[in-house]
Amino acid sequence: RLRGRVVDLPDDPVVGATVALAGKGAAPGADETGQSQQATTDEHGEFSFTTVPPGDYVLDAAAQGFVSPGPAAVRGLAVTLGAGGTVDGLRLVLRRPGTLQGRVVAGGAPVAGAVIGLSYLHAEGIGGPLDAFLLADVARTAQDGTFVVQGAAPGRLRVVAQAPGYALAETRDLGLDEGGRRDGLVLD
């Protein structure tokens, strides 16, 4: 059996979150037998998986209005369940997403159709710190070179832009707080 809570910061319960259990290396939501296992948190943010064979698993969580930072392959919480064992007290932390807004220019002229990516130097996953990672193609610039990235995970990151015929452009390191907003970013 696996039991725990899904919370936000500062540790308030996340009600109605979907918690997915996958065997390590299996498709998201699948256990070691290939079966999908999901649970929904109750009014206390608590979840439970009662019929879980022994093995190595990864837990992930999602909820409306929250984000779980990182690519699916690295953001989950790894758990090992022994024969006849129980793991209690698991704590999965979801974050409030932020927004990034800015422009991509070359010599002052807007660059339309640039692909925007987010290069994270540091972020907290649902189970703790994550190694650096890149989220490619999270947005594209409009005709006037502007972009908006909604649902960005909080952390320390760089915004990168790439367009055919132009050099790669990126911001300096910047911090995005939970639910925060960074406006006026210019990539040249």
Side-chain angles (χ1 to χ4, degrees):
R1 179 200 304 252
L2 298 172
R3 293 190 299 212
R5 293 181 72 218
V6 177
V7 297
D8 66 1
L9 290 179
D11 212 38
D12 292 327
V14 178
V15 178
T18 299
V19 180
L21 173 70
K24 212 168 196 178
D31 67 16
E32 287 192 334
T33 66
Q35 301 298 310
S36 176
Q37 291 212 35
Q38 291 189 337
T40 302
T41 59
D42 64 16
E43 66 274 6
H44 305 289
E46 296 175 351
F47 66 89
S48 179
F49 293 96
T50 56
T51 54
V52 182
D56 295 326
Y57 296 92
V58 176
L59 289 165
D60 198 1
Q64 182 82 21
F66 292 91
V67 64
S68 178
V74 300
R75 71 174 170 234
L77 176 66
V79 177
T80 298
L81 183 64
T86 296
V87 177
D88 281 322
L90 296 168
R91 184 174 176 266
L92 308 179
V93 181
L94 291 176
R95 314 282 191 223
R96 298 251 180 224
T99 301
L100 301 163
Q101 176 274 323
R103 289 182 70 208
V104 177
V105 297
V111 177
V115 176
I116 304 298
L118 302 178
S119 177
Y120 280 86
L121 307 167
H122 175 79
E124 292 288 328
I126 63 169
L130 297 174
D131 289 333
F133 61 91
L134 173 68
L135 297 178
D137 204 358
V138 297
R140 303 237 174 187
T141 58
Q143 285 300 114
D144 63 357
T146 61
F147 67 87
V148 177
V149 178
Q150 295 178 330
R156 187 145 237 24
L157 64 126
R158 292 179 183 162
V159 178
V160 296
Q162 188 172 354
Y166 295 95
L168 180 74
E170 66 181 359
T171 62
R172 292 185 177 155
D173 295 0
L174 59 97
L176 181 63
D177 295 328
E178 288 208 32
R181 184 174 181 96
R182 297 295 298 255
D183 293 318
L185 302 172
V186 178
L187 288 82
D188 190 353

